[in-house]
């Protein structure tokens, strides 16, 4: 009688984001947009190799915005980092893939 989908039934659908979902950032909009573009490209190209995706992001950021960038790509991790003000980005891509990008010197 109830038209609402039941838990565990056909109505339960996993939501997968096909765009970057930014959880925290204090970067300028220009820097953030560039970083998201680099991250999206790397994560799509190396979807099965998180280590290589992180390396590509780090190298691209070092080349474009100066050295001392760091990047972690993976699932199910926590982090606490020291970083330069206005230089951290934490986002999710493709559902549960987390990316942390920060700069410290």
């Amino acid at each position: 009688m109830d038209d609402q989908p039941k838990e565990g039934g056909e109505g339960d659908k996993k939501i997968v984001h096909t765009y970057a979902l930014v959880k925290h950032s204090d970067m300028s909009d220009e820097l953030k947009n560039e970083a998201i573009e680099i991250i999206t490209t790397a994560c799509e190209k190396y979807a099965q190799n998180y280590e290589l995706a992180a390396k590509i992001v780090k190298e691209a950021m070092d080349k474009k915005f100066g050295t001392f960038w760091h990047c972690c790509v993976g699932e199910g991790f926590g982090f606490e980092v020291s970083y330069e003000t206005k230089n951290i980005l934490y986002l999710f891509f493709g559902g549960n893939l987390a990316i942390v990008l920060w700069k410290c010197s």
Side-chain angles (χ1 to χ4, degrees), residues 65-78:
F65 299 106
T67 57
F68 303 116
W69 285 95
H70 305 276
C71 184
C72 291
V73 177
E75 299 176 23
F77 67 88

Side-chain angles (χ1 to χ4, degrees), residues 38 52-67 69-71 101:
I38 291 168
L52 189 54
K55 181 179 177 182
I56 296 298
V57 170
K58 185 242 186 304
E59 289 174 353
M61 292 297 289
D62 281 347
K63 185 175 181 181
K64 195 160 193 171
F65 299 106
T67 57
W69 285 95
H70 305 276
C71 184
L101 175 67

Side-chain angles (χ1 to χ4, degrees), residues 9-105:
E10 291 179 28
D12 276 354
K13 294 184 180 175
K14 183 177 178 182
I15 297 173
V16 176
H17 299 283
T18 56
Y19 57 91
L21 178 64
V22 177
K23 295 299 282 184
H24 174 75
S25 176
D26 68 354
M27 292 179 170
S28 67
D29 287 338
E30 181 182 327
L31 179 59
K32 181 169 59 174
N33 290 338
E34 287 285 331
I36 289 172
E37 185 177 317
I38 291 168
I39 289 167
T40 301
T41 302
C43 289
E44 286 175 347
K45 189 171 182 178
Y46 302 104
Q48 301 301 316
N49 190 341
Y50 300 154
E51 185 177 349
L52 189 54
K55 181 179 177 182
I56 296 298
V57 170
K58 185 242 186 304
E59 289 174 353
M61 292 297 289
D62 281 347
K63 185 175 181 181
K64 195 160 193 171
F65 299 106
T67 57
F68 303 116
W69 285 95
H70 305 276
C71 184
C72 291
V73 177
E75 299 176 23
F77 67 88
F79 68 94
E80 181 176 340
V81 296
S82 296
Y83 64 95
E84 285 184 12
T85 306
K86 306 282 187 201
N87 285 297
I88 191 167
L89 176 63
Y90 173 46
L91 59 88
F92 287 95
F93 180 78
N96 60 345
L97 182 62
I99 297 98
V100 182
L101 175 67
W102 74 98
K103 183 178 185 178
C104 64
S105 53

